[in-house]
Amino acid sequence: MATRDDLERWLAGAALGDRAAFGHLYDATAAKLFGVALRVLGNRAEAEDALQDIYVKIWRNADRYRVNGLSPITWLATVARNHCIDILRRKRAEVGRSEMPADDVLRDLAPGPEANAIAKGEAKAIVDCLAELEAARSEAVRRAYLEGETYAELAARFDVPLNTMRTWLRRSLIALRECLSR
């Protein structure tokens, strides 16, 4: 399993155009980012397509990652999540447009048994930490980061001002980070 230092080194290499470093980064993070894409999009084929685009974005923007004490996987997962939310928003805007079937058959990117075991442990930790939050804030976090709802949609749903929703989410993420680091 890759360490934080490994991921930071590979991101730095990718920023300099090092394909080998990017390959190591892909091998170490593809299962996790696929899981993020699958969770947000809810469709395996779309998640596989999105994963390719996500790694293109990572390759092009690796120089934007800054070593700041946060895990590089957080930055990578944010890139993946934001890309998938953009896909959902485009789909909402194109409601009447029919979808074309994919022409290409992609290799199976499903995580292996080891990655599944790690993901299950991480998922349990996240669920446990979400349970420590106030119910409304936990639901807001789930809707924002797993279902792709915007801050404005969440503010309307919970009948709070937009800035209050932003504060809820920011403080909830801080609490989750602290819980997960225990």
Side-chain angles (χ1 to χ4, degrees), residues 124-147:
K124 181 175 180 348
I126 291 169
V127 168
D128 291 345
C129 288
L130 279 169
E132 291 181 14
L133 296 176
E134 183 181 314
R137 292 177 188 204
S138 176
E139 183 180 352
V141 168
R142 283 187 179 106
R143 289 181 175 279
Y145 298 102
L146 300 178
E147 297 175 20

Side-chain angles (χ1 to χ4, degrees), residues 104-124:
D104 301 313
V105 176
L106 302 175
R107 67 182 175 100
D108 186 16
L109 297 175
E114 180 184 1
N116 279 334
I118 292 168
K120 284 180 183 175
E122 291 174 350
K124 181 175 180 348

